[in-house]
Amino acid sequence: MPLMRIFCFRLTVRLGSIIVGGCCMLETLITMIMLAAFGGAKFFKSEALYYEENLHIYNPHAVFVWLIGVCKTSPELFYATIMSCMGLYLPCCGAMMAGAYFMKRYLLVPYILVELLRLVCITLTHVIGMIVIKKSINVGYLIAFTIAGGFALLLLFYLWACVVALMQILKIVRSPEYIAVFGDDPLAPVEPQPTGSMDIFAIEPKNPWNDKGMERMSPAVLTLAPYNGTNMLIDDFRPLHSRYLYNRAV
């Protein structure tokens, strides 16, 4: 079953994925502009020198010390690596937005993998950061920062899960079981016709609602699979303009 069917209590995962991609692109662009405005490699070197001089007030975690050394000795390489990673992340976001709009699963895969790697790095950075600063701040502030960072990570994982749910839904609507009941157009699913037989293994030989003349499974058959009863995805796949025509979100 999909991880979620509704995004932010109102929107569906298709529109939610497009919004997530736009927010990630905006976040990345702002970060790149800010790093360039702060001086790029010079900014990283100055920060490394500052933390090296004041290392006694911080917890000298091995990763933290290694990062200081890298930023001090090779700030240009570190800055170029960060900018290159963010530059490669932007096309993944754009491809994901296109995949959500045109319902192409393969366009979602790069974003899902890269974003998962990014979230793992952010999580490790948050954990190590809290370990490093625990000697230099009050315990109350440390707890507050830890909780705030945890909620921020929870939000980021929620946004990532929206795209994963869309990929799961696209797999369902492209499956033979779904097509046999609701047709091959997920944006305009047909209503399954009532069958005369209650045999859960019965398959109707012909269905006038299917333009391709495919056999349509009885709705009772779906109770044996992850598809139960009526179309649970009808609200997840509507044209973008239907939000204004029917007061429903995509």
Side-chain angles (χ1 to χ4, degrees):
M1 296 295 290
L3 292 178
M4 66 178 72
R5 291 174 52 192
I6 300 176
F7 177 73
C8 291
F9 305 102
R10 173 61 179 169
L11 308 177
T12 56
V13 292
R14 186 175 176 225
L15 180 58
S17 297
I18 296 175
I19 294 174
V20 169
C23 292
C24 290
M25 292 184 69
L26 182 62
E27 170 200 351
T28 305
L29 289 173
I30 291 176
T31 304
M32 295 175 71
I33 293 173
M34 290 182 62
L35 288 178
F38 287 158
K42 295 181 180 179
F43 169 75
F44 287 112
K45 186 172 184 179
S46 62
E47 290 295 309
L49 293 175
Y50 168 79
Y51 285 111
E52 186 180 40
E53 294 176 0
N54 300 275
L55 191 60
H56 60 280
I57 64 175
Y58 297 100
N59 187 17
H61 192 276
V63 176
F64 181 59
V65 175
W66 170 81
L67 187 61
I68 291 177
V70 171
C71 293
K72 179 183 176 182
T73 57
S74 305
E76 293 83 5
L77 178 61
F78 183 77
Y79 175 67
T81 303
I82 294 295
M83 297 296 283
S84 299
C85 291
M86 289 190 289
L88 294 175
Y89 178 67
L90 290 175
C92 294
C93 296
M96 184 272 289
M97 296 173 67
Y101 185 82
F102 295 106
M103 297 181 295
K104 303 295 184 181
R105 292 179 61 203
Y106 63 89
L107 292 177
L108 306 179
V109 175
Y111 173 84
I112 292 176
L113 297 178
V114 173
E115 180 67 6
L116 179 60
L117 179 62
R118 188 177 81 107
L119 291 178
V120 171
C121 293
I122 294 176
T123 303
L124 294 177
T125 301
H126 174 65
V127 173
I128 295 174
M130 294 301 101
I131 295 175
V132 168
I133 67 174
K134 69 179 183 179
K135 289 175 55 179
S136 60
I137 63 173
N138 183 274
V139 176
Y141 288 122
L142 179 64
I143 295 174
F145 290 152
T146 303
I147 295 175
F151 277 108
L153 287 170
L154 184 62
L155 174 62
L156 293 177
F157 275 102
Y158 176 80
L159 300 179
W160 173 78
C162 176
V163 184
V164 175
L166 176 62
M167 189 170 184
Q168 293 174 318
I169 291 175
L170 290 178
K171 180 180 180 180
I172 293 175
V173 299
R174 302 302 185 192
S175 64
E177 294 88 349
Y178 183 94
I179 294 175
V181 177
F182 302 109
D184 56 1
D185 186 3
L187 295 179
V190 299
E191 291 294 334
Q193 294 296 298
T195 60
S197 174
M198 295 303 294
D199 184 5
I200 62 174
F201 299 101
I203 298 179
E204 296 183 14
K206 204 75 172 177
N207 193 300
W209 291 90
N210 197 327
D211 296 336
K212 297 183 178 181
M214 298 175 59
E215 294 182 350
R216 189 180 298 278
M217 298 174 61
S218 168
V221 178
L222 300 183
T223 59
L224 302 179
Y227 321 98
N228 188 8
T230 58
N231 181 13
M232 69 173 183
L233 304 175
I234 189 171
D235 293 333
D236 293 272
F237 285 88
R238 292 180 180 273
L240 286 174
H241 62 270
S242 66
R243 181 179 184 184
Y244 307 100
L245 295 179
Y246 305 106
N247 195 27
R248 302 289 291 274
V250 176

